[in-house]
Amino acid sequence: MLGIVSIFVLASFVPVVSSSIQKQEEKEKTIIINVLDSGSRYLTEYHASEGDARKIIALMEEEISQESFTKQIEERLNVLNDIGIISSETANNLANKFKTQQKFLDKNRLMPTREPFFDVFNLFSGVFFGLKGTKDYTFLELNVYEFPFFNSTILAQFSVFSKFTGSGCIFTLGTLGFRYIYEFDQAKYEFPHFPDIGGSVIGFTGILLEFEVGDTLGEEYEGSYVVGIGMNIASIWNNLEE
């Protein structure tokens, strides 16, 4: 009788143990994304599924044109909202900022687009960038200083200066016009099929995603990623392979 009871007791624990192992395996497969939302003033971690991580990486594969800049940025924000990384309020607020800027640039003559010393140099621009790479340096990021006499309404909740390098692309639309680096070539470059670029954004406010991908998505996906959508005072970027 004791033997039979012991067997039944052990058998009752098997589903519980199996379920625990399965949940642990599912947790290990998720990819942790650091989400900096400077508009809403928070920095969080989001546990993305493999499918969601692929959707985020795919955001930088589609080329953006000057005519559809605002629309395509809004579509990217909607993808992040659907995944659950950002709220609909954040997506709408950022999309409205891009629309307002687009209307202003349409009504006002842009500054001359002379060739600068950089492949991309733009001022007071909307920006999208995606890299399989890293944020090498940042200065005064997010909510560093709180001044009580401003009653917490000082909305300079941005990264004062950040520097990035990696394989990817950047698109800007600002007072110097539509300037970008985009060279998607599967035959020439390894995944994500872009040249190495590097640059800095000054006075960035918006969404910044940083995450590390292991071997869960396949060997070619392994590495660090940075994706940014927002507004900045200045963008300075170069194609490092030229």
Side-chain angles (χ1 to χ4, degrees), residues 41-129:
R41 299 168 56 190
Y42 66 78
L43 177 64
T44 59
E45 284 188 355
Y46 179 84
H47 293 259
S49 66
E50 295 178 13
D52 288 344
R54 290 179 189 272
K55 290 179 182 178
I56 295 169
I57 294 171
L59 293 179
M60 61 183 177
E61 293 182 355
E62 185 179 351
E63 187 173 3
I64 298 176
S65 66
Q66 180 173 348
E67 295 73 21
S68 62
F69 186 85
T70 301
K71 181 181 178 182
Q72 288 179 278
I73 292 294
E74 186 175 5
E75 290 172 353
R76 283 161 168 76
L77 290 169
N78 287 335
V79 169
L80 298 181
N81 179 35
D82 291 342
I83 292 173
I85 289 182
I86 63 175
S87 66
S88 57
E89 181 182 3
T90 295
N92 291 334
N93 287 341
L94 260 181
N96 288 335
K97 286 181 180 179
F98 277 93
K99 290 175 182 177
T100 301
Q101 186 204 39
Q102 178 79 63
K103 291 178 181 178
F104 174 79
L105 294 174
D106 288 343
K107 292 180 179 179
N108 295 272
R109 184 178 178 182
L110 300 174
M111 294 173 63
T113 57
R114 295 179 182 176
E115 289 299 321
F117 295 105
F118 309 99
D119 294 318
V120 169
F121 177 70
N122 217 335
L123 298 171
F124 301 105
S125 59
V127 61
F128 169 86
F129 58 93

Side-chain angles (χ1 to χ4, degrees), residues 4-196:
I4 293 171
V5 170
S6 298
I7 290 171
F8 276 111
V9 171
L10 289 173
S12 67
F13 277 103
V14 172
V16 176
V17 173
S18 299
S19 176
S20 177
I21 293 173
Q22 184 178 358
K23 289 180 179 179
Q24 181 65 27
E25 288 177 348
E26 290 176 355
K27 186 176 180 180
E28 290 174 354
K29 287 182 179 179
T30 60
I31 295 168
I32 298 176
I33 300 177
N34 292 319
V35 183
L36 183 147
D37 182 346
S38 58
S40 298
R41 299 168 56 190
Y42 66 78
L43 177 64
T44 59
E45 284 188 355
Y46 179 84
H47 293 259
S49 66
E50 295 178 13
D52 288 344
R54 290 179 189 272
K55 290 179 182 178
I56 295 169
I57 294 171
L59 293 179
M60 61 183 177
E61 293 182 355
E62 185 179 351
E63 187 173 3
I64 298 176
S65 66
Q66 180 173 348
E67 295 73 21
S68 62
F69 186 85
T70 301
K71 181 181 178 182
Q72 288 179 278
I73 292 294
E74 186 175 5
E75 290 172 353
R76 283 161 168 76
L77 290 169
N78 287 335
V79 169
L80 298 181
N81 179 35
D82 291 342
I83 292 173
I85 289 182
I86 63 175
S87 66
S88 57
E89 181 182 3
T90 295
N92 291 334
N93 287 341
L94 260 181
N96 288 335
K97 286 181 180 179
F98 277 93
K99 290 175 182 177
T100 301
Q101 186 204 39
Q102 178 79 63
K103 291 178 181 178
F104 174 79
L105 294 174
D106 288 343
K107 292 180 179 179
N108 295 272
R109 184 178 178 182
L110 300 174
M111 294 173 63
T113 57
R114 295 179 182 176
E115 289 299 321
F117 295 105
F118 309 99
D119 294 318
V120 169
F121 177 70
N122 217 335
L123 298 171
F124 301 105
S125 59
V127 61
F128 169 86
F129 58 93
L131 302 170
K132 183 180 181 183
T134 58
K135 179 172 63 178
D136 303 322
Y137 176 78
T138 189
F139 176 67
L140 295 183
E141 186 169 81
L142 195 59
N143 201 21
V144 180
Y145 295 112
E146 289 276 353
F147 298 105
F149 48 86
F150 278 108
N151 195 28
S152 297
T153 58
I154 179 170
L155 296 180
Q157 311 292 337
F158 49 49
S159 167
V160 173
F161 175 84
S162 293
K163 185 176 183 298
F164 305 89
T165 55
S167 302
C169 60
I170 176 167
F171 298 90
T172 68
L173 181 63
T175 55
L176 296 181
F178 180 63
R179 306 195 68 82
Y180 65 95
I181 297 176
Y182 182 87
E183 187 185 346
F184 184 83
D185 191 329
Q186 292 179 299
K188 188 176 180 180
Y189 303 110
E190 295 182 356
F191 184 85
H193 314 301
F194 287 107
D196 290 333

